[in-house]
Amino acid sequence: MSKEHTPYVEEVRLIVEQIYKRSTHPFVEYYVDVPSMAENRLELLYLFLLEQGMTKERAVTFCTATGLVQLGLDMHEHVKNEYEQSQTAERSRQLTVLAGDYYSARYYHLLAEASEIKAIQTLSGAIQRVNEAKMKLYTAGRDGKLPTDEEYWELRNMIDTGLYVAIVEEYADSEDSRRFWMELMKETAKVESVIGEWEQIKWQEQVPFGFARFLLQKPGATLAQVLSSVEHTAMELIGMCEQMVRTLHPAETRSMLSAITARYSHRINRLKRVIEEM
């Protein structure tokens, strides 16, 4: 991230540090791989809250709490459904479940201390909707009842952005602001997801569980077609994000958001250059 282009990037990094500090436990870290934070999403949430006139201290509390819940939900998404063969692997699986619960519970304590009762209720409702979306997506994959592209992204977006969108929906000061920030959250999350899958296909030469796997399960689909579709989708989504940001006022926020969306273009262009040189 470029500090020159995003004045608040260091503050977001401090938020991420606070999230990991509040969720750190040596015993858990020994057995469990802690997922990385979606820093871009936290940065968007932080900018949104400041734009609504929230103090930096309160915005930091909201972002830290939301990040803790997301970390817990991400932990649970990595839990395997079947029992492991070895005692160590099974202990890791069990601790992953407990760690996810622990991280999710930490948000409640943080917001309760700050007397942010409405925020607790907002995130609690979002957690329920996120888990429902996970079950629908898992059941559809298990039963071979694939949703349409639109249905897939609706569920995936709820899983990836449900917490952030819930905060935006509750605390936006106008309908225009609410609509803009909700859509930006969803579209940028799509970009991150698609680019991440594209990189995994190219570097690890395997199809990740996600949009690429969803496409590959369609009748007659080939890996080359999936790779092309993933690349096309990524470029299309970036264009949509850039178009949205260009319509935003005030100019200062537009400039910061442009820097965020530019990261995706740089990441794709870098990936393309490396592929061409291989």
Side-chain angles (χ1 to χ4, degrees):
M1 296 183 183
S2 175
K3 195 172 181 179
E4 293 74 24
H5 294 300
T6 53
Y8 299 116
V9 69
E10 191 60 35
E11 293 170 29
V12 174
R13 283 176 176 160
L14 291 174
I15 291 172
V16 173
E17 288 179 13
Q18 281 295 315
I19 292 170
Y20 283 122
K21 187 179 296 183
R22 287 176 176 270
S23 61
T24 298
H25 193 291
F27 185 70
V28 172
E29 289 181 334
Y30 182 79
Y31 288 101
V32 176
D33 292 327
V34 179
S36 59
M37 291 297 305
E39 292 190 31
N40 279 3
R41 226 160 295 161
L42 278 175
E43 190 172 355
L44 289 175
L45 181 61
Y46 187 59
L47 290 174
F48 161 76
L49 293 171
L50 294 181
E51 189 186 73
Q52 306 311 299
M54 194 173 285
T55 65
K56 285 190 176 183
E57 181 181 8
R58 192 177 180 211
V60 167
T61 298
F62 273 57
C63 289
T64 304
T66 304
L68 283 166
V69 180
Q70 189 66 61
L71 195 60
L73 292 173
D74 290 345
M75 291 288 287
H76 283 163
E77 196 161 2
H78 287 84
V79 177
K80 295 181 180 179
N81 293 317
E82 67 276 0
Y83 287 102
E84 299 289 353
Q85 297 298 317
S86 70
Q87 183 178 3
T88 301
E90 179 58 23
R91 179 175 295 171
S92 175
R93 190 179 78 94
Q94 293 169 348
L95 281 173
T96 301
V97 175
L98 293 175
D101 292 340
Y102 173 70
Y103 296 158
S104 296
R106 294 287 286 167
Y107 94 93
Y108 183 92
H109 182 255
L110 177 63
L111 292 177
E113 278 187 327
S115 299
E116 296 286 359
I117 307 305
K118 186 169 72 170
I120 293 175
Q121 294 170 339
T122 299
L123 287 175
S124 295
I127 291 170
Q128 179 181 341
R129 293 189 292 274
V130 168
N131 285 327
E132 288 172 352
K134 285 183 179 182
M135 285 303 301
K136 288 179 181 178
L137 196 56
Y138 167 75
T139 302
R142 182 198 62 189
D143 298 341
K145 298 178 180 178
L146 295 176
T148 63
D149 289 15
E150 292 76 14
E151 290 170 334
Y152 171 85
W153 281 119
E154 183 179 351
L155 294 172
R156 189 68 250 174
N157 257 325
M158 175 56 68
I159 294 169
D160 293 336
T161 69
L163 303 178
Y164 308 87
V165 166
I167 295 292
V168 170
E169 193 167 17
E170 184 62 44
Y171 290 92
D173 59 8
S174 70
E175 184 56 39
D176 286 344
S177 177
R178 180 178 294 108
R179 186 184 305 111
F180 171 82
W181 285 97
M182 287 174 65
E183 286 304 310
L184 186 62
M185 289 280 187
K186 293 177 181 179
E187 296 305 324
T188 52
K190 280 186 189 178
V191 173
E192 289 181 39
S193 178
V194 171
I195 295 176
E197 291 188 30
W198 187 14
E199 289 173 336
Q200 191 170 344
I201 292 172
K202 293 305 297 183
W203 305 146
Q204 301 180 23
E205 297 184 346
Q206 62 181 13
V207 181
F209 287 97
F211 185 56
R213 180 66 59 90
F214 164 75
L215 292 175
L216 196 58
Q217 289 177 336
K218 292 185 176 182
T222 66
L223 185 57
Q225 290 172 340
V226 168
L227 191 59
S228 176
S229 180
V230 167
E231 178 183 349
H232 174 75
T233 301
M235 298 304 297
E236 188 178 63
L237 290 170
I238 288 175
M240 291 175 61
C241 291
E242 292 172 342
Q243 179 61 35
M244 289 176 64
V245 170
R246 281 195 289 269
T247 65
L248 180 66
H249 301 284
E252 181 184 2
T253 305
R254 183 171 66 245
S255 176
M256 287 185 286
L257 291 179
S258 294
I260 293 174
T261 56
R263 295 173 196 157
Y264 302 129
S265 297
H266 295 327
R267 190 170 161 189
I268 284 182
N269 291 332
R270 185 169 61 247
L271 176 61
K272 284 185 172 180
R273 286 196 300 270
V274 173
I275 291 173
E276 290 172 357
E277 293 170 0
M278 291 176 65

